[in-house]
Amino acid sequence: MLLRRLRDHWGSGESGHNEVLWAVACICFFGFFRLGKLLNPGGRLKWEDISFDHPSNPTMMKIHLSTSKCDKYGHGADVFIGQTSNALCPITACLAFLRVRGTEPGPFFVTRDGSPYAGHSFRIGAATAAAIAGVEDSTIQTLGRWNSAAFLTYIRTPARQLAAVSETIAKLP
């Protein structure tokens, strides 16, 4: 899985830089975000959009989106991301980043000098990993905030899985 490879790669290195990259990767992946939704001007995630269930030992974070591509009525959306209790934990990643970032208002993902980050997408990876893990389509659709079957175009079926269909078909009576 891409997320594990990123974690292995960013496991050591420049302090501050790796923490922000890892937090971005985890939040994008587990929140089914387009990277631009968190980092691009106009849709950029802000410090005040983030909250945790417990200040001293959080198990869940809430990200409030004031706007969303599928939010026809302008109500915004709340995205909940939970603790995983392993090396891919988005809560642990976020807390490590916050120790470097601090609590100053403004864009949430910033460099040590306060400059905001920018980037692209983790949605395909999250949708594909969820599908491979057996998560129901309706749950993937809800997590990714898709209002239609368009989420299916984000799921990439591994070539080995496609090739295995040949053997399954050959066994039919």
Side-chain angles (χ1 to χ4, degrees), residues 21-89:
L21 293 175
W22 182 237
V24 168
C26 284
I27 290 174
C28 281
F29 187 82
F30 289 105
F32 286 70
F33 283 110
R34 293 173 193 87
L35 196 52
K37 185 65 183 169
L38 302 182
L39 303 177
N40 290 344
R44 188 172 285 145
L45 186 64
K46 297 181 294 299
W47 169 254
E48 48 274 11
D49 298 328
I50 306 284
S51 61
F52 294 94
D53 61 340
H54 300 290
S56 60
N57 190 21
T59 60
M60 178 177 65
M61 66 188 298
K62 178 175 84 170
I63 299 172
H64 178 73
L65 303 175
S66 56
T67 63
S68 178
K69 182 178 174 183
C70 297
D71 181 17
K72 296 187 258 187
Y73 304 106
H75 298 294
D78 290 331
V79 177
F80 296 91
I81 300 175
Q83 182 180 41
T84 65
S85 301
N86 66 27
L88 302 182
C89 184

